[in-house]
Amino acid sequence: MSHARSEYTDFQKLAPDAFAAVRELSAIAAKAGIDKQLLELIKIRASQINGCAFCLQFHILQSEKLGMAADKINLVAVWREAPQFSARERAALAWTEALTVLPNGVSDEVFAQASAEFNEKELMYLTSAVAAINTWNRFGAAYRWTPPARQKVGAAAG
């Protein structure tokens, strides 16, 4: 793969209104009270599916900052086979996959699973979070934004 076609910061500079709209949509679910670690899980999963290196790395780093266990972060791609995920997380991840890959819509089974774990309002906000990360992924993958670098933990005092 060749280098970035554009960078994340270019989006903000070139289309500030679009950037602000996507950013606002991204913040709504957390403001509504959806658990931030859960939101990071769905952002990681959608970014894996969509092949967005920038968003994947960004949300892995965010998950680490929130104190999410490394094993959980590492196993998002195989969440069905990993015991680290709660029923609520599994429902959110299934919902995310269904909304990210839409060839046949969302099955009744996935809707029932999500509805069993989230009330109507929560599910609407979870859907907004999935829509937001899928929007970010479209920009990040299209322009091949460079993934953010992991910050080095405190340099040795000299």
Side-chain angles (χ1 to χ4, degrees):
M1 177 89 37
S2 63
H3 61 81
R5 295 174 174 146
S6 181
E7 292 294 350
Y8 171 79
T9 54
D10 295 331
F11 180 27
Q12 188 172 10
K13 287 183 226 169
L14 295 170
D17 51 350
F19 179 88
V22 178
R23 189 171 200 164
E24 181 60 28
L25 180 59
S26 298
I28 291 172
K31 288 179 186 175
I34 304 294
D35 179 73
K36 290 180 182 178
Q37 286 193 6
L38 178 74
L39 291 172
E40 292 305 322
L41 288 175
I42 67 164
K43 292 171 185 179
I44 289 169
R45 186 64 190 125
S47 298
Q48 289 171 335
I49 293 167
N50 290 322
C52 182
F54 176 90
C55 293
L56 180 57
Q57 176 73 349
F58 182 88
H59 293 292
I60 287 170
L61 296 174
Q62 289 299 113
S63 297
E64 290 171 353
K65 285 181 187 175
L66 291 172
M68 191 180 300
D71 285 348
K72 187 173 270 193
I73 295 168
N74 293 335
L75 293 170
V76 171
V78 291
W79 62 269
R80 285 179 181 83
E81 291 79 29
Q84 284 82 355
F85 301 94
S86 69
R88 187 169 170 92
E89 291 166 337
R90 290 174 184 285
L93 290 164
W95 188 249
T96 299
E97 289 180 359
L99 294 175
T100 299
V101 182
L102 276 172
N104 300 311
V106 177
S107 72
D108 290 341
E109 179 184 349
V110 170
F111 181 79
Q113 181 184 11
S115 296
E117 295 295 331
F118 297 91
N119 66 40
E120 288 179 15
K121 184 176 179 179
E122 289 173 327
L123 191 55
M124 198 64 72
Y125 280 109
L126 184 65
T127 302
S128 74
V130 174
I133 190 58
N134 276 288
T135 300
W136 283 117
N137 290 165
R138 281 5 179 219
F139 284 99
Y143 292 102
R144 296 182 190 151
W145 292 340
T146 303
R150 181 178 300 281
Q151 300 300 310
K152 300 210 186 310
V153 179

